[in-house]
Structures are given as C-alpha cells and as structure tokens.
Amino acid sequence: MGRQLVPLTWEGLSELPVRCRACAFWELTPVGGAEAERAGRTAEEKAAWIATVLREWGSCGRVVHVDQRPAGFVLYAPPAYVPRSQVFPTSPVSSDAVQLLTARVLPEFEGQGLGRVMVQTVAKDLLGRGVKAIEAFGESRWKGPACVLPTDYLRAVGFEVVRDHVTHPRLRLELKRAISWRADVELALDLLLGAKVRPALRPS
C-alpha cells in the first residue's frame, strides 16, 4: 500500500468529498454563509478562500493518497482567515496558534492509521513555519458528522482545554508535544480523524 501526503491546492479541491468541497462553514461568517447557501455558491466561496490563504499565508491543508487515490484530508489556517471562529463563545484563538478547522478519513480507508499520519504531518509543517501550537473549538454535544470536531476526541489526542465552555470549549495542542506522541495515543489520533470510530467520525 503506497501512501503519499500532498499539500492541498486550489486544483486539488476536486479530490475532497463533494460535501466537503462545497462546505464554507469556517470560511465565511454566519451571515455570509447563509447568503452563499441561498445563492448556491458555497463551493465557489470555498475555492476562493483556499486561493487567498495559499497566496497570502501558504499551505493550509493536506490530502492523503493511498495507492494514488484520495483517502482523506485535513484543513488548517491562522484564525485571521477563519471568520466563523470569531462567533464562538470561547474565541479568539491564541495569536501564536493556527486553528485546526476540520479533517476526514474516507470510510473505505478507515483503520489504516491515516489520521495519525495526517496530524503529525500538519504538526511538522507548522513547526517548520515557526508556529507553536494548534488550537481548535470542540463540540461537547457532538451527535454526528459536523464541521466542529468532538471535544472528547480532541482531548484524547492530547489537546487541553484553555477556555472551558459547556458546548464549545477551546483546546490547544503544543506542537512539540504532537511530534513526540507515543504509540499509546496513536489509536486516539485515528479516532479523531475517522478511523475505527463508533459511530464513524466524518466531519465535513
């Protein structure tokens, strides 16, 4: 089985699941998102967002290929590029951190450790760019696939709550810690991104 992780590009958006490449939850404000949905242009907004972040900041995602087939992806960016994050009750994301937006492993590739590989690749990428940490907003009442990752899974992979909230706490993972994760948390990493989850975790 051949694995390859490649940076997400504007052209590479076509490798994301249809639901994910047409979702602009994080990329727009609630008002802007509602307007884009009514106009049927969320996919165009997503593509424009990717192009802007790539041009102004650099790589903001990774796509994993297994035997040359897209198998999953992870998306991240500085909070200044994530309008939706500003409306969360535990915002803002810390100035020294990059926000983990969402991630997914496709069902047919679950259980292969791809979640761990993707998260560690993101950590190495950001460390090389001088970033100290990843932060994310959790969903403590998670009931199924959504754009916000479950709080329990973020905790399981080493994120710690830096601002608590009954529904949407903000959590943080120091990148040096992420690089040195031990084998006993590798399963939790897989759970975060969809592998062996019951029920399956498949955020958009």
Side-chain angles (χ1 to χ4, degrees):
M1 179 179 66
R3 297 179 180 178
Q4 183 183 21
L5 279 103
V6 298
L8 176 64
T9 63
W10 185 85
E11 296 84 357
L13 272 174
S14 61
E15 296 187 317
L16 271 57
V18 173
R19 175 185 173 186
C20 299
R21 64 175 179 259
C23 174
F25 175 84
W26 288 110
E27 295 83 356
L28 298 172
T29 65
V31 172
E35 291 177 351
E37 287 186 9
R38 285 194 295 268
R41 63 170 195 272
T42 54
E44 289 81 359
E45 294 285 356
K46 180 95 166 193
W49 183 88
I50 292 289
T52 297
V53 179
L54 286 172
R55 181 178 65 252
E56 297 179 356
W57 183 67
S59 180
C60 57
R62 289 289 187 274
V63 178
V64 59
H65 294 162
V66 175
D67 295 332
Q68 300 183 337
R69 296 171 57 198
F73 76 96
V74 59
L75 193 64
Y76 52 97
Y81 291 97
V82 190
R84 177 75 65 156
S85 70
Q86 301 303 314
V87 304
F88 276 69
T90 50
S91 66
V93 171
S94 301
S95 60
D96 64 347
V98 161
Q99 185 179 341
L100 174 65
L101 278 65
T102 193
R104 181 174 178 179
V105 170
L106 300 185
E108 60 267 37
F109 296 100
E110 293 176 358
Q112 300 180 21
L114 299 181
R116 171 179 53 83
V117 172
M118 287 197 295
V119 172
Q120 289 183 332
T121 299
V122 171
K124 291 177 181 177
D125 171 42
L126 294 178
L127 270 176
R129 296 158 74 174
V131 178
K132 293 183 178 180
I134 302 172
E135 292 191 358
F137 296 101
E139 171 56 75
S140 298
R141 297 175 179 174
W142 190 85
K143 296 181 180 179
C147 296
V148 184
L149 294 169
T151 300
D152 287 345
Y153 290 104
L154 292 170
R155 286 179 180 272
V157 299
F159 280 78
E160 297 180 350
V161 173
V162 291
R163 188 174 179 188
D164 206 359
H165 186 267
V166 65
T167 305
H168 294 300
R170 177 163 48 90
L171 301 94
R172 179 180 174 96
L173 177 65
E174 301 294 336
L175 289 181
K176 289 184 178 179
R177 180 181 180 187
I179 292 298
S180 61
W181 274 318
R182 301 182 312 177
D184 60 357
V185 300
E186 291 183 356
L187 175 58
L189 283 165
D190 290 338
L191 292 176
L192 169 64
L193 298 184
K196 301 180 181 177
V197 178
R198 300 178 184 179
L201 170 61
R202 298 168 190 162
S204 62

